[in-house]
Amino acid sequence: MSERTSSNQERKPPLIGRRISSNSNDEENEVPEMEAFGLIPRGFNPTDYLHVLDIHMFKEPHEINKQQHHTDKFYNPRLIVRRGQPFQIQIDFNRPYKPETDQFWLEYLIGRYPQQNKGTYIPVIVGNVLKPGEWGAKITHKENNSIRLSIMSSSSCIIGKFRLYVAVWTPFGILRTRRNSATDTYILFNPWCQQDAVYLDDEKEREEYVLNDVGIVFHGDINNIKTRSWSYGQFEENILDACLFLMDKAELELSGRGNPIKICRVASAVINSRDDNGVIAGSWDNTYTYGVAPSAWTGSVDILLEYYSSKQPVRYGQCWVFAGVFNTFLRCLGIPARLVTTYASAHDNNANLQLDYFLDDEGKVDTKLTKDSVWNYHCWNEAWMTRPDLPVGFGGWQVVDGTPQETSDGMYRCGPASVQAIKHGHVCFQFDAPFVYAEVNGDIIYLRREKNGTQVIENIDTTHVGQLIVTKEIGGDGMMEITEDYKFREGSEEERLALETAVMYGVKKQTTQDTTYQPQKDVDMDFQVQKAVLGSDFKVTITFRNRSHNYYTATTFLSGNIVFYTGVTKNEFKKHSFVAKLDPSSSSAFDVAIKSSEYLSDLLDQASFHFFVTARINETGKILAMQKAAALEIPSLRIKTQGEKVAGKQMSVIVEFTNPLTQTLENVTLRLEGPGVLRTVKKEFRQIPANSTLIWEIKCTPRQPGLRKLIASLNCDALRHVYGELNVQIQKP
């Protein structure tokens, strides 16, 4: 699929009535069934060569692929798989396949101009081993004229509908199967796959945020919370195609469709009809002529199907309708998502963290002058993903909002903005964090204009905005409060520190006498995390250097978070604040002790931590802020072999592990495998007491000579990501 062929195609007359673009999943190119290398000799008969009679996709809901890939709920006759995880197909040839002489491969194509370097033309070669997260195929079974293939897709592969061809090599040209839509394969995001950017480690959360097709919308107001159900219907007939069409509509280039950040960004624009004729037209004025009132919708399916067929905005929606449809889109494609409601959400027109309410002489609000507003409630979505474009610690839940409020980079869209960045005031990180920060953190300022034109501040309310932020609980219809994910407790030191950090990073905050930001130049702050083995206590040392001749006090706040290895925050396990006394012209160090009991119960796979330290110099009001990631040492498995290492002869492999924790490990699973040496073996141990050593011996007979690798892993609730490996040289017999 060279550049040359695609440019030739571009010179063809355009398809009548359709604009050609390389951004459509729907459009196809012609693929030749016989791609000749040159002149074909007269006696050439394609049927002399290996010939594909049929391809079995195992695409029924009860069959292996949809079961293993959690796609059995989709009402869709085609094969639907998740990326980075193997799936099976069977090919029936006209005669038995002979690997010595026959050569075939698979081709997955998407869009009108498939190109290998764009990931839109994917040749899949049949090999001996599948590498995790990389395209490949291997034969798992041969019988008569049929072969069974296990196919691995890339864990960063484009999301969409691919066309499948089987290509057979002959000396005179390549023979391909005919275009057959029955073999089309949908590839989706995979929250079950560790290498996927949307990986989520908790099965109950995956069941809720990917597989649950109904939800609850919280509305009303802070003093009177109301609930309603919403049908997401992400698995209903034609919904998957409708969601893929939204990406075509948004003109997201196909090569960008493996990236959840890009998909969320364009989807937040195309969910609303402002500036791009997107899915839903908003209306907030109580007149809904020629349309459906927003409160009348019960779910997303009708809206998406109407848009998919008419290609015209569906009337009408308000925030929960935009959020409900957005949630369907995200869950359908496999991005974990939830609908969130913020009570008393600020709509701050000039994003200055200040909602200006102008009062007239009688103390009533002057509606002509007052442009800012506070919504009783506002619904948006959170989508779960890594943020490789941001520093470590800002992955995890991201705010995305399809309700058209303000433009961002010239379009009505919002997000993805990291919830963790909003909480800590690090609003310098894309996208639209200052706007979301203002939605949950504004101060309400009541101003009165004097006769001579000067403004007098009558009152400031710092606690009203963003009082309560909620979502549906996992596995039930109750309410789960997540205000703490977005902000520190109202009026707490940490909350003011986060606010001042946000101001430092450029959120406009008008003080009554507009002062410009000047950093604290004469105090430096740093901190160090002590190296520690999993299960032990350790300390974080915060150092200040006061270079001035002044005596300062610094209100210091440390937040310790447990994070995935991808930098996604799971939860906060340590909060500590203290006042540091800083003598003139001296350095001071302060230790914060971290006990193993504080982190062990919540520890994640990779035992990674992320610390925020923020300090305010009380005498000057200046802020110092710093963040660092740290990891614990995880013990490893030891592997050794006994006996001769010769192909065809029995040998022993011994795996040892010492439990470093002060607690007994329960229900431990050990796995060992080595391609060409032994098939995966698995053993369960009820208990490994504290500080005791486990020894497991396995007999095996290596099949193939050469350098081989043995890989072992240990897994239990209290300890994950324990690995060991050993290279072994297997001799020829």
Side-chain angles (χ1 to χ4, degrees):
M1 299 284 162
S2 70
E3 299 276 352
R4 210 172 63 244
T5 52
S6 69
S7 61
N8 290 344
Q9 283 174 329
E10 281 165 37
R11 284 203 287 275
K12 287 181 185 171
L15 301 171
I16 303 302
R18 292 189 71 176
R19 195 161 62 83
I20 292 185
S21 86
S22 53
N23 293 343
S24 173
N25 192 161
D26 234 19
E27 298 188 355
E28 304 186 5
N29 60 334
E30 300 264 327
V31 177
E33 283 181 56
M34 171 71 192
E35 190 179 318
F37 295 148
L39 291 173
I40 298 176
R42 263 198 308 217
F44 175 74
N45 181 3
T47 52
D48 295 344
Y49 295 91
L50 193 65
H51 188 65
V52 177
L53 299 181
D54 202 2
I55 305 175
H56 303 273
M57 304 299 285
F58 307 113
K59 57 190 181 183
E60 294 305 313
H62 62 271
E63 289 183 296
I64 181 166
N65 288 329
K66 282 186 174 166
Q67 286 289 323
Q68 287 187 346
H69 287 255
H70 308 277
T71 56
D72 51 305
K73 285 186 172 165
F74 277 98
Y75 192 97
N76 186 312
R78 306 268 183 274
L79 176 61
I80 304 169
V81 294
R82 297 186 187 278
R83 65 187 191 177
Q85 181 179 335
F87 59 94
Q88 320 295 319
I89 68 169
Q90 179 181 314
I91 303 176
D92 300 343
F93 294 114
N94 56 336
R95 58 169 175 75
Y97 163 68
K98 300 198 280 283
E100 309 77 46
T101 53
D102 294 331
Q103 196 187 343
F104 78 94
W105 61 93
L106 308 175
E107 294 178 334
Y108 284 95
L109 281 67
I110 188 168
R112 179 76 191 275
Y113 305 112
Q115 284 175 272
Q116 197 165 345
N117 63 349
K118 293 249 166 59
T120 50
Y121 164 70
I122 304 160
V124 182
I125 310 300
V126 179
N128 300 326
V129 66
L130 291 184
K131 288 193 189 143
E134 291 180 30
W135 277 102
K138 70 171 188 179
I139 296 173
T140 56
H141 191 67
K142 274 192 273 203
E143 197 172 315
N144 303 330
N145 297 354
S146 300
I147 59 161
R148 175 82 73 100
L149 286 175
S150 179
I151 302 165
M152 172 73 82
S153 63
S154 155
S155 56
S156 58
C157 146
I158 291 170
I159 301 306
K161 182 164 88 170
F162 287 82
R163 314 186 287 287
L164 168 64
Y165 295 90
V166 180
V168 177
W169 188 88
T170 77
F172 306 109
I174 295 168
L175 297 174
R176 277 192 189 79
T177 47
R178 194 171 266 150
R179 171 80 183 101
N180 176 9
S181 63
T183 62
D184 285 353
T185 303
Y186 293 89
I187 300 182
L188 306 180
F189 286 104
N190 194 350
W192 286 263
C193 165
Q194 282 205 334
Q195 288 103 334
D196 198 307
V198 302
Y199 171 65
L200 187 58
D201 74 322
D202 184 312
E203 179 59 27
K204 285 201 166 56
E205 290 183 11
R206 291 188 293 240
E207 281 173 15
E208 180 67 57
Y209 298 137
V210 183
L211 300 179
N212 194 352
D213 51 8
V214 292
I216 300 279
V217 175
F218 295 95
H219 57 121
D221 69 78
I222 183 87
N223 302 313
N224 183 10
I225 291 170
K226 300 190 166 80
T227 64
R228 58 170 301 177
S229 294
W230 186 268
S231 158
Y232 297 124
Q234 66 266 36
F235 305 117
E236 299 306 302
E237 190 172 16
N238 293 327
I239 290 296
L240 178 52
D241 290 317
C243 291
L244 296 179
F245 167 70
L246 292 197
M247 292 195 281
D248 290 353
K249 184 77 183 76
E251 296 185 6
L252 174 58
E253 72 277 8
L254 288 166
S255 59
R257 295 189 192 185
N259 181 342
I261 304 168
K262 285 188 175 174
I263 286 180
C264 283
R265 184 117 181 99
V266 303
S268 77
V270 84
I271 291 290
N272 67 70
S273 66
R274 298 281 293 266
D275 61 38
D276 57 2
N277 255 350
V279 184
I280 306 155
S283 178
W284 281 266
D285 59 4
N286 262 338
T287 52
Y288 308 118
T289 11
Y290 315 115
V292 175
S295 54
W297 300 110
T298 53
S300 310
V301 173
D302 294 352
I303 296 171
L304 281 166
L305 292 183
E306 182 182 327
Y307 185 70
Y308 185 40
S309 65
S310 76
K311 317 283 190 265
Q312 291 302 312
V314 178
R315 294 183 285 203
Y316 288 101
Q318 287 175 5
C319 66
W320 72 91
V321 182
F322 294 108
V325 172
F326 205 163
N327 222 47
T328 300
F329 171 84
L330 294 165
R331 287 188 186 179
C332 183
L333 297 185
I335 300 174
R338 60 191 189 185
L339 190 150
V340 170
T341 300
T342 300
Y343 286 98
S345 168
H347 188 143
D348 179 3
N349 267 7
N350 53 356
N352 63 350
L353 292 190
Q354 189 169 306
L355 293 115
D356 297 323
Y357 278 65
F358 291 97
L359 307 175
D360 60 17
D361 293 339
E362 292 175 357
K364 289 210 302 284
V365 172
D366 182 329
T367 47
K368 282 201 181 68
L369 286 175
T370 303
K371 296 280 187 286
D372 295 337
S373 62
V374 176
W375 297 30
N376 280 349
Y377 71 95
H378 179 46
C379 299
W380 60 61
N381 306 80
E382 288 177 359
W384 179 270
M385 68 194 71
T386 61
R387 290 298 300 268
D389 56 327
L390 304 184
V392 160
F394 295 114
W397 290 115
Q398 311 291 315
V399 172
V400 287
D401 190 348
T403 300
Q405 297 189 74
E406 299 289 335
T407 58
S408 167
D409 299 336
M411 289 183 86
Y412 280 92
R413 57 181 163 194
C414 178
S418 161
V419 173
Q420 182 75 343
I422 290 159
K423 174 169 184 171
H424 287 274
H426 289 251
V427 295
C428 47
F429 298 129
Q430 57 192 23
F431 295 88
D432 307 314
F435 181 73
V436 181
Y437 186 87
E439 285 184 291
V440 298
N441 281 303
D443 287 348
I444 296 178
I445 299 204
Y446 295 96
L447 298 157
R448 194 168 50 77
R449 188 165 281 182
E450 294 277 5
K451 293 270 187 287
N452 63 6
T454 55
Q455 291 177 1
V456 180
I457 294 180
E458 290 288 345
N459 189 10
I460 299 181
D461 182 349
T462 59
T463 61
H464 179 75
V465 169
Q467 281 181 63
L468 178 67
I469 305 171
V470 299
T471 187
K472 174 178 133 25
E473 66 183 3
I474 294 169
D477 287 346
M479 186 171 85
M480 177 165 87
E481 184 178 342
I482 54 172
T483 318
E484 284 228 315
D485 293 1
Y486 282 84
K487 54 204 292 193
F488 294 101
R489 209 180 60 255
E490 286 290 350
S492 65
E493 257 318 314
E494 299 96 271
E495 187 215 20
R496 287 291 129 191
L497 279 172
L499 170 71
E500 289 168 33
T501 307
V503 172
M504 173 173 89
Y505 282 129
V507 170
K508 297 195 287 292
K509 166 91 172 136
Q510 286 170 336
T511 52
T512 37
Q513 67 297 336
D514 263 343
T515 51
T516 50
Y517 165 64
Q518 288 179 315
Q520 181 80 28
K521 291 261 174 45
D522 50 8
V523 180
D524 299 326
M525 178 184 77
D526 195 5
F527 72 89
Q528 254 29 71
V529 182
Q530 183 187 2
K531 280 259 178 287
V533 176
L534 181 74
S536 59
D537 299 348
F538 63 96
K539 64 181 189 207
V540 177
T541 304
I542 303 166
T543 51
F544 291 96
R545 185 159 155 237
N546 180 358
R547 291 202 302 261
S548 77
H549 298 303
N550 305 321
Y551 176 85
Y552 287 141
T553 55
T555 301
T556 310
F557 168 69
L558 173 138
S559 159
N561 299 275
I562 287 173
V563 296
F564 291 91
Y565 73 96
T566 47
V568 175
T569 298
K570 178 73 177 192
N571 64 349
E572 185 174 48
F573 71 92
K574 178 78 176 178
K575 276 187 178 138
H576 185 75
S577 55
F578 61 93
V579 174
K581 297 186 166 59
L582 310 181
D583 291 325
S585 309
S586 64
S587 294
S588 355
F590 302 88
D591 288 345
V592 179
I594 311 276
K595 299 249 185 298
S596 60
S597 56
E598 293 177 297
Y599 68 77
L600 271 177
S601 59
D602 291 318
L603 204 56
L604 280 170
D605 293 8
Q606 301 256 345
S608 297
F609 296 129
H610 186 235
F611 291 99
F612 281 104
V613 176
T614 320
R616 184 205 291 117
I617 309 298
N618 293 318
E619 289 72 14
T620 64
K622 296 290 167 21
I623 295 288
L624 304 167
M626 185 167 230
Q627 46 158 325
K628 282 185 185 175
L632 290 169
E633 306 286 322
I634 299 183
S636 53
L637 298 172
R638 300 179 292 283
I639 308 179
K640 50 190 186 189
T641 60
Q642 273 182 350
E644 281 188 287
K645 299 188 277 291
V646 181
K649 278 199 177 173
Q650 194 180 61
M651 59 181 269
S652 282
V653 179
I654 295 152
V655 180
E656 293 184 359
F657 173 71
T658 305
N659 175 9
L661 299 185
T662 50
Q663 69 193 74
T664 298
L665 296 178
E666 307 203 330
N667 303 324
V668 179
T669 307
L670 270 175
R671 273 192 168 74
L672 173 71
E673 69 167 305
V677 181
L678 81 169
R679 308 256 313 248
T680 304
V681 276
K682 196 166 99 170
K683 188 164 170 72
E684 313 244 339
F685 293 86
R686 278 274 309 285
Q687 294 188 322
I688 310 175
N691 298 317
S692 69
T693 298
L694 161 157
I695 298 173
W696 178 35
E697 183 174 344
I698 305 102
K699 300 255 188 283
C700 64
T701 306
R703 297 190 312 280
Q704 296 169 337
L707 186 63
R708 302 277 153 202
K709 194 184 276 291
L710 296 170
I711 305 162
S713 72
L714 175 144
N715 200 43
C716 63
D717 283 347
L719 203 53
R720 302 189 194 280
H721 278 274
V722 178
Y723 294 125
E725 55 176 60
L726 179 70
N727 288 324
V728 288
Q729 187 71 47
I730 306 294
Q731 307 298 327
K732 289 183 175 147

